[in-house]
Amino acid sequence: RPFIAGLWLAALCPFTANYAAVPLTEVWATFFTTLAFVVLALLAVGAASPVDETLPDFPRWLRSYGGIAALAGLVVGFGTLFRPEAPLLLITTSLLLIYWLARLRQFKRLLLTLLILGACCAIPLVPWTIRNAVTLHEFQPLTPKDTNLPGEVDPKGFMAWERTWLYRFRDCYLVPWKLNDEAINLDDIPSTAFDTPDERVRVSAVLDIYNDELTWTPQEDLVFAQLARERTARHPLRTYLSIPLRRAVRIWFTPRIELIPVSGHVFPLRYMHEEDPIDQRVTVIYFFLNIFYVGLGLWGAAKLWSCQRARPAVAAIVFYILVRTAFLTTLETPEPRYVLVCFPALFAFAAQLFVRRARDLHDTASVSRPAKA
């Protein structure tokens, strides 16, 4: 019953389905993250349990705790080829493993687990690393965070300035994504990007020069780096707390209409209802559908937490989602698509709401108990 419910929740979700039609990494990243969730959940349950048991329903090579750890590392390694932050899965789970195994005083098992996870994660990255060493003459096991053309300036100062005010996805289209390509209109920058009239004047002066040539220079970047330092010194909580929290809310609670031909304009309600009622309705429906999925996932996770045996798995998945969300708030552009890899976990949690009896929940969570390596 919960399996069928989770399958339907996943199959009918338009947010993940939309990305099957675009040349982005979301489909593969979601696949490997989901597979990693399954294996790491088994690993977490096995590590938190003081009892050594086998997995009779699994292949012979996967009946041990060590086999599950090896598979987890390989899955995350392949996922890293598509999304360089995939190792966050291993980092978050490893932190919990350290807590659980250290509490059980199984230090040898802990060391062996961490070695297996790290080694197996590195295996899929070896060909990529060799390729970069031969072709680029660089040791580059992961995709670089910033990609720039030869001779192109890395706008670190500009991006630092963005992190002091940018939290809405729509502003990415108007400001940062135009850099080195289109003119940036000062009026498109929200007023919250300026603390004083002097800041606005300094930004305007730099943009006037940039808009003439559409080429970002080191001198222009230094001006924005200085602005970022001044704004952060003036309001550190805004840069390090307020803006990241706003970004986290925005990337989780959004209509997710960036891939469909909808404007996303809802307000003013009466005007948009008369001007473009279809766009308004679709945006509103998608917004509440997103809340529906997140709400069901939270509810299902809370219900599954009541099962003592399932708590390690729930903790591993929820901890990763929280850490990943915090990590995404540090990026230059807070794109909502980056949390889609967490949606299969929401489907799985939501499926727990369809378990008929509490005893069934406990029985289901107790099916597999990984053994000591």
Side-chain angles (χ1 to χ4, degrees):
R1 182 183 176 91
F3 170 78
I4 295 299
L7 188 62
W8 275 109
L9 286 170
L12 297 178
C13 180
F15 308 130
T16 52
N18 284 343
Y19 281 88
V22 293
L24 292 172
T25 60
E26 261 55 43
V27 172
W28 282 106
T30 302
F31 169 75
F32 281 110
T33 302
T34 305
L35 186 56
F37 277 151
V38 175
V39 184
L40 289 172
L42 290 173
L43 189 68
V45 172
S49 173
V51 181
D52 295 335
E53 300 181 19
T54 58
L55 296 169
D57 296 331
F58 282 71
R60 182 180 298 275
W61 66 275
L62 192 54
R63 292 183 186 180
S64 69
Y65 178 86
I68 294 176
L71 181 60
L74 286 172
V75 170
V76 174
F78 281 110
T80 305
L81 295 174
F82 294 92
R83 194 63 65 74
E85 75 277 7
L88 280 176
L89 282 159
L90 291 189
I91 294 173
T92 54
T93 304
S94 295
L95 291 175
L96 293 177
L97 291 177
I98 292 173
Y99 169 74
W100 289 321
L101 294 178
R103 187 181 60 175
L104 297 173
R105 296 187 177 277
Q106 298 185 11
F107 299 106
K108 181 179 179 180
R109 185 183 185 188
L110 171 61
L111 179 60
L112 182 60
T113 301
L114 297 181
L115 288 176
I116 292 174
L117 288 174
C120 291
C121 180
I123 290 175
L125 302 179
V126 171
W128 167 260
T129 305
I130 295 175
R131 177 263 180 194
N132 289 337
V134 174
T135 305
L136 306 177
H137 307 291
E138 294 182 9
F139 177 73
Q140 191 180 95
L142 299 177
T143 303
K145 179 176 177 293
D146 301 315
T147 54
N148 302 94
L149 296 174
E152 191 176 53
V153 176
D154 188 3
K156 293 187 180 296
F158 188 83
M159 293 186 292
W161 174 69
E162 287 176 11
R163 284 193 286 268
T164 65
W165 62 270
L166 190 149
Y167 66 92
R168 298 180 302 184
F169 181 54
R170 68 180 184 183
D171 290 329
C172 297
Y173 290 96
L174 301 175
V175 184
W177 287 352
K178 288 185 176 182
L179 204 63
N180 281 321
D181 190 32
E182 302 178 46
I184 299 176
N185 189 349
L186 183 66
D187 293 334
D188 289 337
I189 303 175
S191 59
T192 54
F194 312 107
D195 287 339
T196 64
D198 176 67
E199 284 189 11
R200 187 179 181 89
V201 171
R202 291 159 66 186
V203 171
S204 177
V206 174
L207 291 183
D208 287 342
I209 300 174
Y210 160 77
N211 289 338
D212 288 338
E213 300 180 358
L214 299 183
T215 301
W216 195 247
T217 65
Q219 294 76 19
E220 294 166 351
D221 199 59
L222 286 175
V223 175
F224 281 88
Q226 180 61 30
L227 283 171
R229 287 191 292 268
E230 294 174 4
R231 288 173 57 83
T232 300
R234 194 180 298 120
H235 299 289
L237 289 180
R238 175 181 59 191
T239 301
Y240 299 118
L241 183 61
S242 175
I243 296 299
L245 285 176
R246 291 185 179 186
R247 286 184 169 196
V249 172
R250 288 281 180 163
I251 61 179
W252 272 106
F253 299 99
T254 172
R256 304 189 187 280
I257 57 172
E258 56 269 15
L259 292 183
I260 59 178
V262 174
S263 65
H265 295 150
V266 176
F267 302 101
L269 292 175
R270 182 180 295 275
Y271 173 78
M272 288 307 303
H273 179 70
E274 297 175 355
E275 185 71 15
D276 203 339
I278 296 179
D279 279 19
Q280 185 189 55
R281 291 169 190 167
V282 170
T283 303
V284 171
I285 290 173
Y286 268 48
F287 176 73
F288 284 104
L289 183 62
N290 182 83
I291 293 179
F292 173 75
Y293 272 110
V294 174
L296 281 185
L298 292 174
W299 188 7
K303 181 177 180 180
L304 191 57
W305 185 259
S306 64
C307 174
Q308 187 73 25
R309 183 63 182 167
R311 284 186 180 181
V314 177
I317 295 175
V318 171
F319 185 42
Y320 167 74
I321 292 175
L322 292 176
V323 171
R324 181 180 177 81
T325 301
F327 169 76
L328 294 179
T329 62
T330 66
L331 300 182
E332 291 72 37
T333 53
E335 297 187 55
R337 67 186 176 98
Y338 289 148
V339 297
L340 282 179
V341 298
C342 302
F343 265 61
L346 296 181
F347 305 150
F349 285 147
Q352 306 306 314
L353 299 175
F354 295 87
V355 175
R356 292 178 178 176
R357 296 174 298 175
R359 189 181 67 182
D360 295 336
L361 181 65
H362 287 253
D363 291 343
T364 301
S366 302
V367 168
S368 57
R369 299 187 178 187
K372 181 179 179 180

